[in-house]
Amino acid sequence: MSRNFLVIDPEDGIDVLKGLASPVRVSILKLLHMQGPMNGNDIARHLALPQSTVSTNIQILESAGLIRTETQKARKGSQKICHSLFDEVLVTFKDDVKPLKSNTIEVAMPIGLYTSCAVSAPCGLCSADGIIGLLDVPDTFLDPDRMKAGLIWFTRGYVEYQFPNNARLSQNTIETMEFSMELSSEVPGTSADWPSDITLSVNGTEIGTWMSPGDFGDKRGVYTPDWWKLRGSQYGKLKSWRVTQDGSYVDGVRISPVSLVDLDLGNHHSIRLRIGVKDDAKHPGGINIFGRGFGNYDQEIIMRLETER
């Protein structure tokens, strides 16, 4: 199960909102979502619309980044095939983006606000008030209540978050990028000796893997609610992932040569962070991601950007 989500702030995503502000374009998006890739003639036929109307609206959707098109050979000449890019579009006001003193920008991302996911069971989500959806059902990761999640877990796969690249907006060069989050392995019950290789990627480039030693349940997490079973995952390790000009580090230990140059962040409007356990991991021990209301640190996923000024 793999789904893609687009999260926008109205101030930054006005072109997307304009792209959605038409019954015709919404109909085209729904058709592509339900039927899969189609050419303009097929879209016009399904929607009983003039070809010229469809062509104009396809251009607007493509400019807004809501669809992509590719040219393929046809029986006579060529045809443009339209592909839907997103299963959901979420509009949110990012009041959690705050510039800090000096040259540091910090963004706190709720763990349920992932924009793409592909997970395998056992898996689940819960908020401070209770379980979200159904346990061990990957489709539950599409439940709108995921926004309230304070704990998510899965065996293999990933969740991906889209952070705003505020350094690019302010035309500053990034000197250091850091992600801070509370993580552990995942096993039915708990086990302090249950290694798992947890891998992080940024904008499609792996920055490295950290081996979690276990899934911790020897005592209740400081912020874990009382209703959550004691035999379940209670807390994790607070890990700091840093990417600098000379490589990537976890808690100060170099884990890969991937540097900021390799990520080319200056040419990206957003910073996409993917967290997961790969299918070919040497230690495929699952993952728990702790957010507010669970674990020992009561924090979301924090991104910090240090700029040159």
Side-chain angles (χ1 to χ4, degrees):
M1 181 274 295
S2 180
R3 302 272 288 191
N4 291 304
F5 310 89
L6 174 64
V7 179
I8 62 167
D9 186 302
E11 292 183 352
D12 302 327
I14 192 67
D15 288 341
V16 174
L17 295 180
K18 288 180 179 178
L20 294 170
S22 161
V24 170
R25 292 194 286 276
V26 170
S27 295
I28 293 173
L29 289 173
K30 285 184 176 180
L31 181 63
L32 294 175
H33 176 71
M34 297 298 295
Q35 301 293 332
M38 302 177 70
N39 64 34
N41 290 332
D42 288 339
I43 293 172
R45 178 168 51 83
H46 274 79
L47 299 179
L49 292 171
Q51 174 64 35
S52 59
T53 299
V54 170
S55 295
T56 299
N57 284 282
I58 284 175
Q59 290 178 2
I60 294 173
L61 289 171
E62 187 174 16
S63 297
L66 290 166
I67 65 171
R68 69 175 177 86
T69 64
E70 61 177 340
T71 301
Q72 294 183 358
K73 290 183 179 180
R75 182 174 300 177
K76 295 181 179 180
S78 61
Q79 60 179 343
K80 180 179 284 189
I81 305 298
C82 303
H83 298 258
S84 174
L85 291 178
F86 303 104
D87 301 288
E88 293 185 29
V89 178
L90 309 174
V91 179
T92 181
F93 295 92
K94 295 188 178 77
D95 59 356
D96 56 351
V97 178
K98 52 182 180 182
L100 302 180
K101 293 181 180 179
S102 183
N103 62 335
T104 302
I105 300 170
E106 181 176 291
V107 180
M109 182 67 69
I111 66 168
L113 200 60
Y114 43 83
T115 54
S116 180
C117 65
V119 304
S120 65
C123 59
L125 310 89
C126 58
S127 70
D129 299 319
I131 299 293
I132 297 172
L134 300 174
L135 294 178
D136 301 332
V137 177
D139 281 347
T140 286
F141 275 64
L142 309 179
D143 191 312
D145 280 345
R146 69 181 184 275
M147 302 302 180
K148 305 174 184 177
L151 173 64
I152 64 178
W153 67 94
F154 51 90
T155 305
R156 289 182 179 84
Y158 67 86
V159 288
E160 185 172 274
Y161 302 87
Q162 186 176 15
F163 288 82
N165 189 352
N166 291 322
R168 185 181 188 278
L169 292 175
S170 59
Q171 298 182 333
N172 285 328
T173 300
I174 298 173
E175 296 290 334
T176 302
M177 176 175 61
E178 178 185 6
F179 295 99
S180 173
M181 67 200 78
E182 186 175 354
L183 303 169
S184 79
S185 309
E186 164 57 21
V187 61
T190 61
S191 173
D193 184 16
W194 190 263
S196 184
D197 293 335
I198 297 174
T199 299
L200 261 64
S201 300
V202 174
N203 288 358
T205 299
E206 284 189 16
I207 63 173
T209 298
W210 167 68
M211 189 185 76
S212 168
D215 184 1
F216 307 107
D218 56 305
K219 57 185 177 181
R220 185 171 294 280
V222 174
Y223 296 98
T224 301
D226 291 339
W227 67 265
W228 180 244
K229 57 188 184 299
L230 279 172
R231 64 180 181 277
S233 306
Q234 294 294 320
Y235 62 92
K237 302 282 189 180
L238 187 64
K239 308 306 293 182
S240 170
W241 304 67
R242 289 174 64 88
V243 184
T244 70
Q245 301 290 350
D246 63 354
S248 297
Y249 300 78
V250 172
D251 295 342
V253 177
R254 196 168 191 261
I255 57 171
S256 85
V258 175
S259 69
L260 289 170
V261 173
D262 299 312
L263 300 180
D264 191 26
L265 297 178
N267 286 320
H268 291 272
H269 291 281
S270 64
I271 297 173
R272 292 179 291 105
L273 172 68
R274 179 173 292 194
I275 309 167
V277 178
K278 299 194 295 184
D279 289 339
D280 61 352
K282 182 179 179 180
H283 304 100
I287 183 172
N288 279 281
I289 305 176
F290 297 83
R292 286 197 177 277
F294 280 83
N296 282 348
Y297 296 94
D298 198 37
Q299 71 164 56
E300 310 292 6
I301 299 171
I302 305 295
M303 180 185 73
R304 296 186 185 92
L305 303 176
E306 295 180 7
T307 65
E308 61 182 6
R309 61 184 177 89

